[in-house]
Amino acid sequence: MSEQDEPTSGFPAQQQTLPGRTDAMDPPPDHGEHSYRGCGRLEGIRALITGGDSGIGRAVAIAFAREGADVALSYLPEEQGDAEETASWVRETGRTAALCPGDLTEQHTCEEVAGKAVQELGGLDVLINNAGVQMARDDGLEDMSVERIDRVLKTNLYALLWLTQAVLPHLHKGSSIINVSSIQAYQPSTSLLDYAATKAGINNLTVNLAAELGPKGIRVNAVAPGPIWTPLQPATQRPEKLESFGTDTPLGRAGQPAEVAPAFVYLASPREAGYVSGTVVGVTGGKPVF
Ligand code: NAD
Ligand code: MG
């Protein structure tokens, strides 16, 4: 990388509302569109990626397709534009992209999304529980609304369990589940306390799901990203916070979605990660995940 290409430290102050849109971000994130090169690591694999429309999920979809996988993308109905953009990158590789919109905070939607993914892909080998939401908080604990707590816990924890239950009958020996944790599980911010608790819970669930599903030959792991430039950030952080976003990491900058996707490729690959289960891979710019 030349000095000129070095990523800048922070980002211009900007604000969006949830769920956030890729085309409103300045600068646009890098999902590996022009850099990721596959080499057949996931040939023939069928993966459901929740939150696959944007950010980390989009980068994973592009990497998986270029490695030979077909993907189903789950996302909120208002994210149709982002989902279609991701699908077009997948289809450009000649792989299938199935679109499965729906709000995962409802159990019946999780079941419908799982059913559509299985039907359109002709089965399922990998579930990536990537959908997630956070909301930065200025108010005191006593002002945290039930709606907010419900949204964070249902999106990050309930949906993970409901989707896992829904896809389980379709998974098989060699399948895997990859959950998305966070540096917040290890270094929690008070302003994100409910979100941080869900991510610690996801690490804990990853260990127990690996123990429970191991005898079926199903591996369960998690990826814990550090600060990554995705629509979630301008949609949930105070605008001025983005100006220093990521600068407190040892590498001194935020990561791009494209820099997180290879960890998912590794964990999904039965050949390369066949004996890896119950673990968390950190992609944090140097912050510890232990
Ligand atoms: P993102 O906004 O691009 O992706 C999150 C996706 O979650 C959305 O696109 C949306 O489709 C989905 N989602 C949210 N609520 C949903 C609901 N009710 N029903 C269905 N889908 C819903 O942001 P991202 O940063 O790529 O987030 C992906 C994952 O990475 C999340 O789990 C997030 O917690 C985690 N993460 C992100 C960072 C970061 O700095 N960006 C750091 C650590 C962990
Ligand atoms: Mg999105």
Side-chain angles (χ1 to χ4, degrees):
M1 188 185 278
S2 72
E3 208 173 305
Q4 199 184 329
D5 294 332
E6 281 290 339
T8 51
S9 298
F11 299 88
Q14 57 201 281
Q15 180 111 62
Q16 294 197 42
T17 53
L18 276 170
R21 281 173 36 185
T22 308
D23 64 2
M25 293 175 73
D26 172 27
D30 175 7
H31 308 94
E33 292 93 335
H34 306 293
S35 57
Y36 192 91
R37 285 200 202 162
C39 59
R41 286 188 187 91
L42 304 178
E43 210 65 64
I45 280 194
R46 299 155 298 184
L48 167 57
I49 308 169
T50 68
D53 60 303
S54 60
I56 293 166
R58 178 182 291 184
V60 171
I62 291 172
F64 270 44
R66 291 186 189 178
E67 296 288 0
D70 291 328
V71 299
L73 310 173
S74 128
Y75 54 93
L76 285 164
E78 58 264 44
E79 298 178 299
Q80 188 67 26
D82 264 351
E84 281 173 12
E85 166 86 13
T86 305
S88 71
W89 284 107
V90 169
R91 290 172 186 147
E92 192 191 87
T93 68
R95 309 306 313 186
T96 297
L99 296 181
C100 309
D103 183 345
L104 299 176
T105 60
E106 300 281 348
Q107 184 175 14
H108 69 88
T109 314
C110 291
E111 288 164 356
E112 285 156 19
V113 162
K116 188 170 186 211
V118 168
Q119 190 184 15
E120 296 210 9
L121 300 182
L124 201 68
D125 308 290
V126 173
L127 168 64
I128 301 186
N129 285 308
N130 168 68
V133 73
Q134 65 177 26
M135 287 179 236
R137 185 174 65 93
D138 291 324
D139 49 354
L141 195 57
E142 59 279 18
D143 296 321
M144 271 179 78
S145 67
V146 172
E147 291 75 20
R148 172 208 164 104
I149 298 171
D150 270 351
R151 184 167 181 180
V152 173
L153 268 64
K154 286 192 172 169
T155 308
N156 299 5
L157 280 178
Y158 282 53
L160 182 154
L161 283 168
W162 287 332
L163 278 162
T164 302
Q165 288 174 320
V167 304
L168 202 50
H170 305 280
L171 299 184
H172 51 86
K173 191 172 183 322
S175 285
S176 80
I177 297 172
I178 306 172
N179 299 322
V180 178
S181 177
S182 169
I183 186 64
Q184 285 290 324
Y186 305 88
Q187 299 180 359
S189 305
T190 313
S191 64
L192 295 172
L193 94 179
D194 46 355
Y195 173 83
T198 66
K199 295 302 184 178
I202 287 170
N203 283 353
N204 186 287
L205 276 171
T206 299
V207 173
N208 265 333
L209 289 172
E212 181 150 346
L213 304 182
K216 294 183 199 288
I218 300 169
R219 299 176 298 106
V220 186
N221 293 290
V223 174
I228 309 297
W229 185 232
T230 70
L232 186 64
Q233 298 303 338
T236 62
Q237 300 277 12
R238 273 185 280 116
E240 62 278 12
K241 267 206 123 180
L242 301 176
E243 291 172 331
S244 59
F245 182 60
T247 56
D248 62 340
T249 61
L251 291 178
R253 64 173 178 87
Q256 292 292 333
E259 298 180 293
V260 191
F264 291 79
V265 172
Y266 166 67
L267 291 172
S269 162
R271 200 168 53 230
E272 294 177 23
Y275 198 55
V276 180
S277 193
T279 201
V280 183
V281 174
V283 186
T284 60
K287 289 196 172 191
V289 290
F290 49 78

